[in-house]
Amino acid sequence: MRSRQIAILFFTTVVFTVFIQVHPANSSPAFLDYNRTFETSELDTVPDWDLVVERYEFFMDFDFENLSFQGIATVTVTNTTESPVELIVLDAASVSLTISGVTSPDSDPYEFTHSDDVLTIDHTIQSGNTETIVITYDGIPEPVYGPFGAMGVFMTGSRAWTFSFPDGAHAWAPVVDDPAMKAEVTWIFGVPEGLTAIANGALTETWADNGKDWFTWEHNHPVCTSEMGFVIGTYAVIEAQTDPFPIRYYVYPGDSTAAAFDMARIPEAVQVFEEIFGYDYPFEELKIVECGVFGGSGGQEHQTMVSLGNQMITGTREFENIIVHEVCHQWFADMVTPVNWDHFWLSEGFAVYSEAIWSEHLLGLEGLLTEIRSDQREYFSWESNGNDYALVNSDYYVTMPSALPYERGSLAIHQLRMRYGDNLFTQAVQNYLTNNAYGYVSSENLRDEFIAATGDSSLIDWFDQWIFQGEVPFFHYAYSEETNELHLKQILDDGDSPSHGNLYDCFMVTFGDTAIHQSVPWDSDNDVMTFRMADWDPEAPEDPELFPLESIPARIRYLNNIETPLLTLSHYLDDETLYPDNVLQPNEIATMTLYIENAGLGLENPSWSLAVDPEDRILVEETEGVMPSIEFLQDKTAMFSIEVIGAGSPDPFWGTVELTITGNQYSETFEIKLALGRSEILLMQDGVLTAIDTLGMILEAGDIVWGTPRNGFENLTESMYETQAVMLEADGRYSDYLFTNDDDYLRDWFTDGGSGCISGEYINLIYPDADPSWLGGIAGTWLGNVSGPAYIGVENDPVADGRIVLAPTQTGVSSCSNCCGGPSIFFALNDSAVAAEIDSDWRILNFGFAFRSLMNSHPATMTRDELVLRTANFLLFREMGFSEDGNIFIPELFEVTTYPNPFNPVLQIQIGIPAASNLNLSVFDLLGRQVAMIHDGFMQAGLRSFHWNASSLSSGTYFLQVQAGNNTSVQRVLLVK
């Protein structure tokens, strides 16, 4: 071990240590399909195989002219079971390897099969015996594929290299391609004269024979196949160090000068790592070899040999961090290897953190924190795309090439170091390396070594939180100078974060030049804590800083200049004795529940008092009391309920109640508006203005006041109202609470002169953050068509009354969506199901279609007009009595409405017929030729709907002629395809 002092990081800090009792996650790793088990009592780090590979010897003779090679793999295996093993199974890529023979060392042939990347050898090995198998094969550089792309051997005109991570070594030789099978390895290469072959271990022999140069490399430490590798090319060799072990750089001759500068500090980096990890470099030598790995733009940590992309040598040290990263892997990945890829982060977390350690060595504390902040940004970016994984996980094809094992792994290592300091960190890592040297590790090994070094058993919970689960918290904090208190809130269900994890249990805070240490238990049932900082100097010049050493991967927000609660009040009516319409009717009793959201400091058990409507239209049972404490940054929470009674006139009116909240030198009065009287107003939206006008006539015929949100509001975002779903609401006075505070223009219109909600559903119950800037629709709508007619109302419901109401004739593939997180769309292709969702208690109707799309033709047994009126009356708690034929509205004038126009290819047609008569509906082209007869026959008076599908005609202008009795109408329509 070198005695070289590393920069010490800790400044004066305040540390809060909290212990949370949480059961650790049970880790159940998923293994590749090989014939072995793992001893969980040994922390999953002692593989129990039927056959164990003791050593590989690879003889490889390369033909660069034909881009191929001949190979002989000599595999020494031991039967570790108490029974004979009758088959030897190896991985061998079918696309790149052609097996020509399998024999004993004495050339006794064995039967074998090779298919689907598996080489099965029919040979029995007795219990406890060790035998050697010789496999002769031909190879070509055809890759297999893994999470990082192509794997195998790559050859050009005079160069070759391997990239086998994580399980691609079987593309160049028959092996057991799994991290839990480490073996010693010997390489024998034959290459064209003048080329050099480099591989794992030490060069033990070179010779020339028959126009080729030959090299033997031997490595007597076990190595897994993912870290086996070789490189072939023309090289200059730079001897960087000879004692206590050699460090050499093999680079293309033209890059010698640049490489000498780029890699000059690698021996120094090795010394830094030996110091901080407490463990000497673990192998006989270190080589860095230039090649084409990752297209020349990356590196791979083959054991004792780092393969470095040729684009990484620039003479500027631009990629020095990449080199030290791969060097660090000699300890983490090569010497100690994850027992399976579930624990892959143990390799990459330490390697990425080594970049921060190196930056700290060069630049001090700020260099370290610069790298940590970069790691945080990378991880947050990946996580915000909906990735919900713990560091230990079995989906390695997804998580391996991500920021999870790399950057988040680094952040986990950083937390441990910041939490315990350099001395305990080095002791724990040293024991972790010593006790598992040249073997396998799991996350439990690292956990137990840190517990042993620190004596802190709470690390079981820490590993459960940060290693075996995925969440990073969102911290808000504020300091109150008046009360000398630090307020903390953790959010664990943030929309950009996975929804699991535990409250974080250790805090580091700086505040001015004063520091104290406190150990306070964190209430695991509460995400808010307040700490009394009696010993802090209130005159300290700086604001407090949470986690000044960036010691956890958290989103952190400091809220300064907050000295009071910042409350927002809302309310809901429950248990209405007459109608559940959120309107207080005369003589109706209801429960008014008060909800409070707080953007500021908390209030401990504040008192409340009510001043009711001065005209006595609202009666209350209680006028004062004490509510539960309001938390710092409290989410919307039900605080208390009181009973209210309606009195006075049934005419629609807004009643007012004033609520005053008092406590801790705080007092504020809020105005509560209650809708009183009858529900009489409807808002409609159907996507097409002409359709709205027609439906409006139906409502007016039923003596219902209605409106649309587009009337006179050109400045509103129209995309909000372009949904194909109908919008109906029972009372607009409640819409005062439907939208956020940023939606004043829309909300003012609702409350002052209109009313509205989606599909009869109160928006705030389903869409608490309703926003008129939505672009994708509001309630559920059909995004595509269905094949064949669709029906609603077939089953018993209060609106359709058991009759078929809808029979659209769209065709195509069905595609429905629950837009914006709202209710699902319901549709049916036969008369055995319901294509609508109805909730009688809340008077909710969800239709997945536009009313304008409804057809009145067979097999519908209820007209669209009746459905509209029955829907309105249902929402308004009115009786729904109708004539048997369903003709609700008889228009006074003959009128024809078409939409859309232009159309493609279906034209909707609605005709108002004042009196029963013969109806002829025909279509003509520009030459006066009749191209379609839509209807010709007797028709009762009423509003009648038809559609014309012009898919068989070409684009152009057509004339729609409608004759009903003595009335004739001709309209020009434009078909655009």
Side-chain angles (χ1 to χ4, degrees), residues 927-945:
L927 299 178
R929 296 174 298 192
Q930 181 175 301
V931 296
M933 171 66 72
I934 300 173
H935 182 84
D936 187 16
F938 184 78
M939 184 65 66
Q940 294 282 356
L943 287 173
R944 303 302 178 188
S945 297

Side-chain angles (χ1 to χ4, degrees), residues 583-586 617 647-654 675-680 733:
V583 178
L584 197 59
Q585 312 286 356
R617 286 167 291 204
S649 168
D651 294 335
F653 193 79
W654 286 104
L676 308 176
R678 291 192 313 242
S679 303
E680 294 291 345
R733 290 161 296 180

Side-chain angles (χ1 to χ4, degrees), residues 803-804 856 860-867 870 881-890 916 938-944:
R803 286 182 282 164
I804 296 174
N856 292 327
T861 58
M862 178 185 290
T863 66
R864 179 189 67 174
D865 307 345
E866 181 173 351
L867 175 62
R870 288 179 70 90
F882 303 97
S883 61
E884 291 185 1
D885 63 5
N887 289 326
I888 307 305
F889 173 68
I890 307 298
F938 184 78
M939 184 65 66
Q940 294 282 356
L943 287 173
R944 303 302 178 188

Side-chain angles (χ1 to χ4, degrees), residues 721-839:
Y721 308 110
E722 292 172 358
T723 172
Q724 298 295 294
V726 177
M727 301 166 61
L728 297 167
E729 191 215 342
D731 195 279
R733 290 161 296 180
Y734 193 66
S735 57
D736 175 351
Y737 308 100
L738 302 183
F739 298 96
T740 65
N741 291 333
D742 296 330
D743 307 327
D744 292 336
Y745 198 74
L746 179 62
R747 188 180 67 248
D748 291 345
W749 179 81
F750 273 131
T751 54
D752 293 341
S755 91
C757 189
I758 296 175
S759 298
E761 186 170 2
Y762 292 103
I763 294 181
N764 62 306
L765 298 180
I766 298 299
Y767 305 104
D769 300 315
D771 184 342
S773 66
W774 289 336
L775 299 177
I778 304 175
T781 67
W782 274 340
L783 300 183
N785 298 321
V786 297
S787 57
Y791 307 93
I792 68 163
V794 177
E795 295 180 351
N796 292 331
D797 65 70
V799 176
D801 198 22
R803 286 182 282 164
I804 296 174
V805 180
L806 172 65
T809 57
Q810 297 103 321
T811 59
V813 179
S814 64
S815 175
C816 59
S817 170
N818 53 339
C819 301
C820 306
S824 301
I825 299 163
F826 298 85
F827 67 89
L829 301 181
N830 54 53
D831 60 358
S832 64
V834 177
E837 184 182 55
I838 297 175
D839 184 334

Side-chain angles (χ1 to χ4, degrees), residues 901-947:
N901 192 7
F903 68 101
N904 177 27
V906 178
L907 178 70
Q908 305 291 340
I909 307 163
Q910 186 162 271
I911 306 171
I913 305 175
S917 62
N918 189 71
L919 175 66
N920 180 279
L921 182 55
S922 304
V923 182
F924 299 88
D925 61 16
L926 286 171
L927 299 178
R929 296 174 298 192
Q930 181 175 301
V931 296
M933 171 66 72
I934 300 173
H935 182 84
D936 187 16
F938 184 78
M939 184 65 66
Q940 294 282 356
L943 287 173
R944 303 302 178 188
S945 297
F946 302 88
H947 78 281

Side-chain angles (χ1 to χ4, degrees), residues 218-270:
E218 294 189 44
H219 190 41
N220 294 322
H221 287 295
V223 53
C224 65
T225 55
S226 64
E227 308 300 353
M228 293 180 183
F230 59 84
V231 175
I232 299 170
T234 302
Y235 288 106
V237 182
I238 301 173
E239 291 278 355
Q241 172 182 299
T242 58
D243 184 63
F245 61 91
I247 299 179
R248 301 186 184 95
Y249 312 137
Y250 292 78
V251 298
Y252 301 156
D255 290 337
S256 297
T257 301
F261 179 78
D262 284 348
M263 302 180 196
R265 298 192 295 200
I266 296 307
E268 184 179 355
V270 170

